[in-house]
Amino acid sequence: MSAAAFDVLAASHQVLNVTAAFIGGLVLAGALVWAVRVGIRVMEGEPHRPTAEEQPHLPDSGAVHEIREVREPDEVPTAGDGRRLMPYELRQAQSRRGVDQNRRRWRPGSSGSFGSGGFRL
């Protein structure tokens, strides 16, 4: 084969590569356009967003504020006959309003770090 034949073969491989890349790009662009159209159809089928009048409003008494209170855990129930309770006999852990509603404070003069005994009961 002559050098001209090799040039033609080399050029034909480059053309095939460029053509394959172009066709691949067209397929990818077509897939993206299809995905956008499907997404638009799905969005059109969904219910519309509520208007400002349909939004929830504050009650006439105003905003509800948080209540701060000291809670104490309920006691763990006992079986009463000396046997231990099985997990299916326990109820969910609940709490009740504490008798002492004063917040626990650090003792004056203590650092308040862990293990220092700075918490006052």
Side-chain angles (χ1 to χ4, degrees), residues 90-105:
L90 294 174
R91 55 183 160 78
Q92 287 187 348
Q94 297 179 357
S95 64
R96 63 182 182 276
R97 190 170 197 271
V99 177
D100 182 17
Q101 287 297 307
N102 294 327
R103 290 179 55 202
R104 294 171 64 178
R105 302 284 185 186

Side-chain angles (χ1 to χ4, degrees), residues 10-47:
S12 67
H13 285 300
Q14 288 176 355
V15 169
L16 285 176
N17 289 340
V18 169
T19 305
F22 182 73
I23 291 173
L26 285 178
V27 168
L28 183 64
L32 290 174
V33 168
W34 174 81
V36 167
R37 285 188 178 178
V38 168
I40 289 173
R41 281 191 213 128
V42 167
M43 285 179 58
E44 287 174 351
E46 293 177 350

Side-chain angles (χ1 to χ4, degrees), residues 23-95:
I23 291 173
L26 285 178
V27 168
L28 183 64
L32 290 174
V33 168
W34 174 81
V36 167
R37 285 188 178 178
V38 168
I40 289 173
R41 281 191 213 128
V42 167
M43 285 179 58
E44 287 174 351
E46 293 177 350
H48 294 288
R49 292 183 179 158
T51 61
E53 293 80 28
E54 296 172 339
Q55 295 288 338
H57 299 286
L58 283 175
D60 294 334
S61 61
V64 178
H65 298 286
E66 116 181 14
I67 298 173
R68 180 176 291 185
E69 64 182 6
V70 177
R71 306 287 296 176
E72 293 177 350
D74 278 345
E75 297 298 323
V76 177
T78 59
D81 55 0
R83 64 178 184 83
R84 67 181 191 141
L85 288 175
M86 293 283 123
Y88 56 84
E89 295 174 315
L90 294 174
R91 55 183 160 78
Q92 287 187 348
Q94 297 179 357
S95 64

